[in-house]
Amino acid sequence: MNQDFWNDRVVVITGATSGIGKALYEELAQFPCELVLLARRAAEIAEPKNKHDRAIIHRVACDLSDPTSVLDAVEWIQKKVSKIDVLFNNAGITAHGRFDSLSMDVYRKTFATNFFGPIQLVRGLLSLLLVAKGNIVTTSTVSALYGVPGRAAYSASKSALHAALESLRIETLESGLGVSLVCVPYTDTALRSSGLDAEGGTLKEAPAKGKRKTAKEVAHVLISVARDKEARLVTFNLSGRFLEWMRFFSPKFLEKILYKKLYEDFKPH
């Protein structure tokens, strides 16, 4: 990891209480930089074990699904820092259920956290990012690359975020701003136990089967992407690249694969 790059940087991380967000701040707290950690339960963010003596950490309560909470966080940040070098747009929520069983409330809640909240935050912090010619690094998913069965609300919200941020990237092409979308694979986090079921209750699913990345492994990739403003759409592994390619070359074949692989997640009851 390039230590000099992070010296004296101002970094904002959303979803910093646990999982990937927590792994990000624990890694970056080892450098002499200023970290602004956003989370609904910001008071629960523990002091990192290996903190640089010049690292500055701010904990800011922010519920991305609540526009007033996002506005308060933006105003606090605007008063506290004069620039933002990297925004790790990391917080998100998943939602599982068949298209015909998902309530409209689930769609609204999912979009509130995964789309409207991040867009409001980016808009509010954009001037500080432009001052620093900074980088927006968004934690996304391969489910944003194609509509995944049993994940209609989740896929749609992440796809919408992709489109909006891609528009921003083009509009600010000459400003020096970086906008990166990182589609992470299955990761060992609490996403499946804290998301929404079809009726809007708390999802209580076992972790995905098969090999999963650790939050720390994903954080290392995000940190690497943050140093590369040419990074646009980043996929981790063969399965991510397969979906990225097949959506263009053979969507019919891709849909058959998704149907077979994920049938248990959306079969009629």
Side-chain angles (χ1 to χ4, degrees):
M1 190 182 298
N2 186 342
Q3 297 186 14
D4 292 341
F5 177 88
W6 296 104
N7 291 353
D8 303 314
R9 302 282 181 169
V10 179
V11 181
V12 177
I13 303 172
T14 68
T17 309
S18 62
I20 297 168
K22 180 181 179 183
L24 279 169
Y25 91 75
E26 287 180 341
E27 291 296 307
L28 294 177
Q30 300 176 54
F31 305 112
C33 61
E34 189 168 1
L35 301 177
V36 182
L37 309 179
L38 303 185
R40 286 182 298 133
R41 303 182 304 277
E44 296 179 13
I45 299 174
E47 193 74 2
K49 295 179 181 178
N50 300 313
K51 180 176 175 290
H52 193 283
D53 57 6
R54 284 176 47 213
I56 300 171
I57 297 178
H58 308 288
R59 297 166 178 82
V60 183
C62 180
D63 181 353
L64 284 176
S65 67
D66 180 353
T68 301
S69 179
V70 176
L71 180 60
D72 289 343
V74 167
E75 291 179 346
W76 188 95
I77 294 169
Q78 289 174 335
K79 293 175 182 177
K80 197 70 178 181
V81 303
S82 59
K83 64 167 185 169
I84 295 174
D85 295 287
V86 180
L87 166 60
F88 285 106
N89 200 23
N90 171 72
I93 192 171
T94 192
H96 295 185
R98 286 176 59 91
F99 180 90
D100 55 6
S101 67
L102 284 168
S103 71
M104 288 307 301
D105 190 47
V106 168
Y107 277 99
R108 294 186 184 97
K109 287 180 178 179
T110 306
F111 267 79
T113 299
N114 291 352
F115 180 76
F116 290 111
I119 292 299
Q120 183 185 359
L121 183 69
V122 171
R123 287 182 77 251
L125 301 181
L126 189 56
S127 61
L128 295 175
L129 284 155
L130 290 171
V131 164
K133 296 183 178 181
N135 203 350
I136 301 168
V137 180
T138 296
T139 303
S140 190
T141 168
V142 294
S143 298
L145 303 179
Y146 208 88
V148 173
R151 307 284 188 276
Y154 182 54
S155 283
S157 64
K158 288 293 191 176
S159 294
L161 185 61
H162 276 217
L165 292 178
E166 285 166 349
S167 296
L168 172 63
R169 182 196 300 131
I170 298 168
E171 291 169 1
T172 57
L173 198 59
E174 296 181 355
S175 71
L177 182 71
V179 179
S180 306
L181 301 159
V182 186
C183 296
V184 307
Y186 287 132
T187 307
D188 192 12
T189 68
L191 190 68
R192 282 181 170 232
S193 60
S194 60
L196 301 173
D197 63 21
E199 290 78 35
T202 302
L203 190 67
K204 296 179 180 179
E205 288 189 7
K209 296 179 180 179
K211 189 175 181 180
R212 301 189 301 275
K213 295 288 186 182
T214 66
K216 188 173 182 178
E217 287 174 322
V218 173
H220 282 167
V221 173
L222 294 171
I223 288 169
S224 176
V225 169
R227 302 197 303 269
D228 179 12
K229 289 184 183 177
E230 295 302 311
R232 285 168 170 78
L233 181 65
V234 179
T235 51
F236 264 66
N237 54 16
L238 185 59
S239 63
R241 288 188 286 272
F242 174 80
L243 196 150
E244 183 183 359
W245 297 332
M246 294 308 293
R247 65 178 178 152
F248 295 114
F249 297 122
S250 184
K252 184 175 181 179
F253 178 69
L254 174 60
E255 289 174 6
K256 288 181 178 179
I257 294 293
L258 291 173
Y259 181 91
K260 183 176 181 180
K261 184 177 181 180
L262 298 174
Y263 181 75
E264 290 298 318
D265 287 352
F266 68 89
K267 66 181 180 180
H269 295 293

